[in-house]
Amino acid sequence: MNSQIVEQQHINTPARQKVSIFDFFYKYGTVLTIVLVIGIFSLLSPNFLTADNISDILRSISIVTLIAVGVTLSLTINGLDLSVGSTAGLATILSASMLVLHRQELIVAIIVPIIAAVLIGLINAFLVVKVKIPDILATLSMMFIVQGALLTYTKGYAIYTNMPLADGGRAPGIFIPSFIHIGQGEILGIPIPVLIMLLAVLVVHIFLTYTKHGRFFYVTGGNMEAARLSGVPVNKYRVYAYVLSALFAGIGGVVLAARIGVGEVNAGAPFLMDAVAAAYIGFSVFGAGKPNVIGTLFGSILIGVLLNGLTMLNVPYYTQDIIKGAVLAGALAITYYRQKSHS
């Protein structure tokens, strides 16, 4: 009997070691990769670790993270919002339009885009929850609808200060300094977009981790039928998820407009892939194994550092897309492999 136990322990030891090593890299692989990538780029480019470049990285990841927080919220209920990039673009265009074409003040330039983004979230929720269209198809359709609406509204042109109008005149408004300050200003040496990002991550982390409603998001995503039988109003929380996803995309779009000082129709589109990748990378950070905004933040940092370093090394933009796709594929492979191994 004892010999059988010893033999069984001998057989299981390598398997346990293999799982232990995999779990270690699953938990800390993202953080280690960030450190490694920073080290490599620091050696290859002397300007990588300068204060100005670090500030640029932080500003860029702030917008990605805000949009990715929305994606993370949609993932908690086992959905996926693919319209966040277009929603961010909508917010960017509306902010620019309120300021440049309609001469509105700061509050209007912020509130109108946010309201429009929430409406997009409500439409997504209606299509997914009431019409019962699969979330990927519904939000993909909304992505094209919003993109087409923006192209129709702007006729493909950017909205900027002193832009020419169809009647031969010039736009009456400007990007006011108070609005630009949101995207380009600093408080105590910290860029304002970074402060907005950190506040959003903190609030959503507390909400998802320490509140009853946050737990209901996860319960809904874990097993919708079981959650329904337990008395959780699952459809209500699915609606909340899509509305919040659009809300954070709208906030990201407003910050983007304030940062670049122009309303570009396609400004939000490149952020979709980055946001989705950041959210999925976040599954593995510190072994969470589920959507979480702290992990999403680390995912955004990894993507931001990668793209910034590659740009400084003059790597072509189309090659950067290959690398982003590879990072996303790797994150998905690790996540699903772990889920399978622990099932």
Side-chain angles (χ1 to χ4, degrees), residues 100-306:
V100 175
L101 300 181
H102 302 288
R103 298 186 65 184
Q104 298 298 314
E105 295 301 321
L106 177 65
I107 297 300
V108 175
I110 295 174
I111 296 299
V112 169
I114 297 300
I115 292 174
V118 169
L119 289 175
I120 296 298
L122 286 171
I123 295 172
N124 281 334
F126 174 77
L127 294 175
V128 174
V129 177
K130 295 297 183 182
V131 185
K132 300 189 185 306
I133 300 174
D135 57 322
I136 292 179
L137 297 180
T139 57
L140 184 65
S141 300
M142 185 54 58
M143 179 184 77
F144 288 121
I145 291 170
V146 173
Q147 197 69 17
L150 291 179
L151 287 169
T152 302
Y153 175 70
T154 63
K155 298 179 174 61
Y157 296 108
I159 299 176
Y160 54 92
T161 298
N162 204 35
M163 66 178 289
L165 301 176
D167 60 6
R170 295 281 177 174
I174 63 170
F175 274 83
I176 57 178
S178 58
F179 183 80
I180 293 294
H181 188 66
I182 295 173
Q184 301 179 11
E186 296 180 351
I187 295 178
L188 300 176
I190 304 173
I192 292 177
V194 176
L195 294 175
I196 296 173
M197 172 191 72
L198 293 176
L199 178 62
V201 169
L202 178 62
V203 169
V204 175
H205 173 68
I206 292 173
F207 171 76
L208 289 177
T209 307
Y210 299 107
T211 70
K212 175 184 71 174
H213 300 291
R215 289 191 291 272
F216 283 171
F217 273 74
Y218 285 120
V219 170
T220 299
N223 189 321
M224 193 180 303
E225 187 59 30
R228 184 183 288 110
L229 293 174
S230 300
V232 177
V234 293
N235 285 340
K236 181 185 294 186
Y237 283 94
R238 293 170 74 197
V239 171
Y240 291 161
Y242 286 106
V243 170
L244 289 172
S245 177
L247 171 65
F248 280 102
I251 295 172
V254 171
V255 174
L256 176 61
R259 184 186 177 207
I260 63 179
V262 63
E264 288 279 359
V265 175
N266 295 316
F271 290 97
L272 170 60
M273 185 175 177
D274 294 355
V276 171
Y280 273 106
I281 291 170
F283 273 59
S284 65
V285 174
F286 303 129
K290 62 183 180 180
N292 68 99
V293 290
I294 300 297
T296 295
L297 175 60
F298 277 93
S300 295
I301 292 172
L302 175 57
I303 293 172
V305 169
L306 269 174

Side-chain angles (χ1 to χ4, degrees), residues 60 64 71 80 99 103 123 142 149 165 169 212 221-222 263 279 318 334:
S60 66
V64 173
V71 174
L80 179 59
L99 293 169
R103 298 186 65 184
I123 295 172
M142 185 54 58
L165 301 176
K212 175 184 71 174
Y318 44 83
I334 292 172

